[in-house]
Amino acid sequence: MTDPAAITKDPLLTLTNVSSSYGAIKVLKDLSLTVGRGEIVCLIGSNGAGKTTALRCISGINKISGGSIHFAGDSITTIPAHRIVERGLAQVPEGRLIFPRLTILENLRLGAFTCHNAKEIADGIDHAFHLFPVLGERRHQTGGTLSGGEQQMLAICRALMSKPTMLLMDEPSMGVAPLLTLKIFETIRTLNNDGLAVLLVEQNAHLALKLAHRGYVLETGKIVAHDLASNLLNDPKVREAYLGE
Amino acid sequence: MTTTELIIQLLITGLANGLIIALIALGYTMVYGIIELINFAHGDVMMLGCFLALTIVGLCGGEQLSPWIALPLLFLTVPFFTAGLNWSVEKLAYKPIREAPKLTALVSAIGVSFVFINIGMFWGGLPMDVFGGGGSAASAKSFPDLFGWSNLLGEQSAVLLTPRDVMVAAVTIPLMIGLTFFINRTRMGTAMRAVAQNPTAAKLMGIDVDRVIGLTFIIGGALAGVASVITALYTGSIHFQMGYRNGMDAFTAAVLGGIGNLPGAVLGALLIGLVRAVMEGYVPNGGQWSNTVVFALLILVLVFRPNGILGSRVREKV
Ligand SMILES: Nc1ncnc2c1ncn2[C@@H]1O[C@H](COP(=O)(O)OP(=O)(O)OP(=O)(O)O)[C@@H](O)[C@H]1O
Ligand SMILES: [Mg+2]
C-alpha cells in the first residue's frame, strides 16, 4: 500500500478515524481517507460496506461518533448539513432524491439555494441544459415523471448548481443504461479537467477505477486497500472481489 | 323568498363559513405536508387568538371601538401572537421528538391542545368586563358587535349580505392568493415544497430544514390568527372549547380535500361550509344533523378517493 500523504499533496477533504453507527450497529470504524484538490477518488466496496453512510457523514446528514472531517482547511465535523453546501461540497445522493413534484427547473434552482446571484443561477441552468440537452427540452416536466437516467442527469446538474469545488457522487450509474453511464463518466472527467474534485462511490468498479486517480476499498466499515487506481485495477485481490474475475 | 334568493343566501353563508374554515385548514394541511403531523393544538391556537382579540377590544373600549380602529389593531396583533404561539409549540413540543415514532408527536399535540384549552378557560376567568367580570370562566363570552347587521343589498332585499360577509371575503381571498404565490413562486416557498417532498435532499441543497419547518408553523399560526379575528367578529361569541369544533371542521376539510394539498384544503372547507349552510338554513332541524352529514360526506369521498379529492393517488415518499 502506498502512503496517502505521499499521493495527495494538497488535501481538500480529509476524514480522520471517522466512526458512525445506526443505533447499536457500528457501520464505519476508524475510516480515514483524503481527496486532493482537483482529484478523482473512488470508493469501492460490496453492498452494505458503508459507502453511502460515509458520504452521508461527510455531507452532515448522518452524525459521526468519533473522528473528524476537514474540508478546505476547516473542520466540518459538527457543521450542520445545510451549511456544508455553501462551503463548496455538494452531493449527488444514492437513489438521486429528485423532488418528484417539482419541475426540472425548480429542482435546478433549489440546487442553487445557497447562491443569491440571479445571473449565476441562470448561467448554471444554461450549463446544465448544455451538458444534458434533454433536461432543457423537458424543463417544465416534474421530477417524478422523468426516467431513471433523466433523473440521474438532473441530480448531477442540480448538485453542480451550487458551483461546488468538490462533488460526492453515490453510484451515478445505478439504474442507468450503459450508453448514458459512459456519457456521465465522460462528464465527470470534463468537470474534473475544469478543477472539480470528485469522491465517487461506484458498483461499476472497472469504470470507476479507470476514471479515478486513486481508489479506496471499503469492507464492513474499514478501509482495507488504498492505492493509485491503476494499481488497484491490477491488484489480484481487487480483481477477484470487485471486478468479478 | 324565491328559490334563487334562497340559493344565493345559502351560497353567501356557506362560502363565508367555508372561507373561515379554510384559513384554519391551511394550517393543518401545511404542517401535515411538511412533517406528517396532525397538529391537534392548531384549533386551540385559533381559540387563544380569539381570547386575545376580545382582551384587546376590552382594553380599548369594547362596544365603542370603531371598526376602522379595531380591524387594523386586531389584524396586526392577533396573527403575530398566534404565529409566535404556534412556532413555540413546534420548538418546545414537536421538534425535540421529531425523530421519534409519529404517534409520539401526535400524543404530544393532543397534550398541547389540553393545555391550551385550560389556558383558555383560565383566561376567560380574568376580571374584565368583556369576560363578564370573570365570574364564570367557562361560559361563552360575547364579542362586541362592531359591524351591525345592515344589509348591503338594501333593506328591502330578501337576501342578506352583511359587512361581515364582505370582510370575510375581503380578508381571506387575498390571503389565499398571496399564500399560493408564496408557495409556488418564491425561493422560500419552493424550499418549503422541497422539504415536504424530501427533507434529506432539501438539506443537501443547503436548505435549513428546521427553519423551514418553523416558518411553516409561523404561517399556519398567522392564518389561524386571522381566522380568530374573523370568527370572533363574524359569530359574535367565543368560548374556550371553540378550538375543538373549529379545528375539527378544518381538519376534516383538510382530509376531505387531500391532506397536504393546499387547494384541496380550501375546496374541502368550502364544501363543508356549504353543507352546513344548507343543513342549517334549509333543512328543517338540519342544524342538529349537519355534523352527521359532513362526516358521511367525508366517509363517502374517502371510500372513492382514499387520498381526498385533490390528494395524490400514490405517496411519492420512498
Ligand atoms: N437507516 C439505517 N438504519 C439502520 N441501518 C442502516 C441504515 N442505513 C444503512 N444501514 C446499514 O449500514 C450498513 C451500511 O450501509 P450503506 O448504505 O452505507 O452501505 P453501502 O456501502 O452504501 O451499500 P450499497 O452498495 O448497497 O449501497 C448496512 O449494513 C446497512 O444495513
Ligand atoms: Mg450505498
Side-chain angles (χ1 to χ4, degrees), chain A residues 52 94 170-171:
Chain A
T52 299
E94 183 177 59
D170 200 341
E171 305 201 26

mmCIF file of all heavy atoms in Angstrom, chain A residues 52 94 170-171, ligand 2:
data_model
loop_
_atom_site.group_PDB
_atom_site.id
_atom_site.type_symbol
_atom_site.label_atom_id
_atom_site.label_comp_id
_atom_site.label_asym_id
_atom_site.label_seq_id
_atom_site.Cartn_x
_atom_site.Cartn_y
_atom_site.Cartn_z
ATOM 1 N N THR A 52 -22.352 4.560 1.316
ATOM 2 C CA THR A 52 -23.358 5.619 1.391
ATOM 3 C C THR A 52 -23.296 6.323 2.744
ATOM 4 O O THR A 52 -23.371 7.551 2.823
ATOM 5 C CB THR A 52 -24.757 5.023 1.158
ATOM 6 O OG1 THR A 52 -24.783 4.449 -0.149
ATOM 7 C CG2 THR A 52 -25.838 6.071 1.285
ATOM 8 N N GLU A 94 -27.338 8.758 -3.354
ATOM 9 C CA GLU A 94 -27.812 7.456 -3.804
ATOM 10 C C GLU A 94 -29.327 7.530 -4.026
ATOM 11 O O GLU A 94 -30.047 8.117 -3.224
ATOM 12 C CB GLU A 94 -27.514 6.415 -2.715
ATOM 13 C CG GLU A 94 -27.898 5.004 -3.084
ATOM 14 C CD GLU A 94 -27.505 4.011 -1.987
ATOM 15 O OE1 GLU A 94 -27.963 4.148 -0.840
ATOM 16 O OE2 GLU A 94 -26.709 3.113 -2.283
ATOM 17 N N ASP A 170 -22.786 9.233 -5.388
ATOM 18 C CA ASP A 170 -23.095 7.895 -4.889
ATOM 19 C C ASP A 170 -23.762 7.066 -5.978
ATOM 20 O O ASP A 170 -24.954 7.240 -6.258
ATOM 21 C CB ASP A 170 -23.994 8.006 -3.645
ATOM 22 C CG ASP A 170 -23.966 6.736 -2.806
ATOM 23 O OD1 ASP A 170 -23.576 5.682 -3.333
ATOM 24 O OD2 ASP A 170 -24.350 6.812 -1.624
ATOM 25 N N GLU A 171 -23.005 6.206 -6.595
ATOM 26 C CA GLU A 171 -23.493 5.297 -7.636
ATOM 27 C C GLU A 171 -24.266 5.999 -8.751
ATOM 28 O O GLU A 171 -25.440 5.722 -8.960
ATOM 29 C CB GLU A 171 -24.356 4.193 -7.013
ATOM 30 C CG GLU A 171 -23.580 3.468 -5.920
ATOM 31 C CD GLU A 171 -24.137 2.088 -5.630
ATOM 32 O OE1 GLU A 171 -24.750 1.510 -6.537
ATOM 33 O OE2 GLU A 171 -23.915 1.599 -4.512
HETATM 34 MG MG MG C 2 -24.956 2.788 -0.974
#
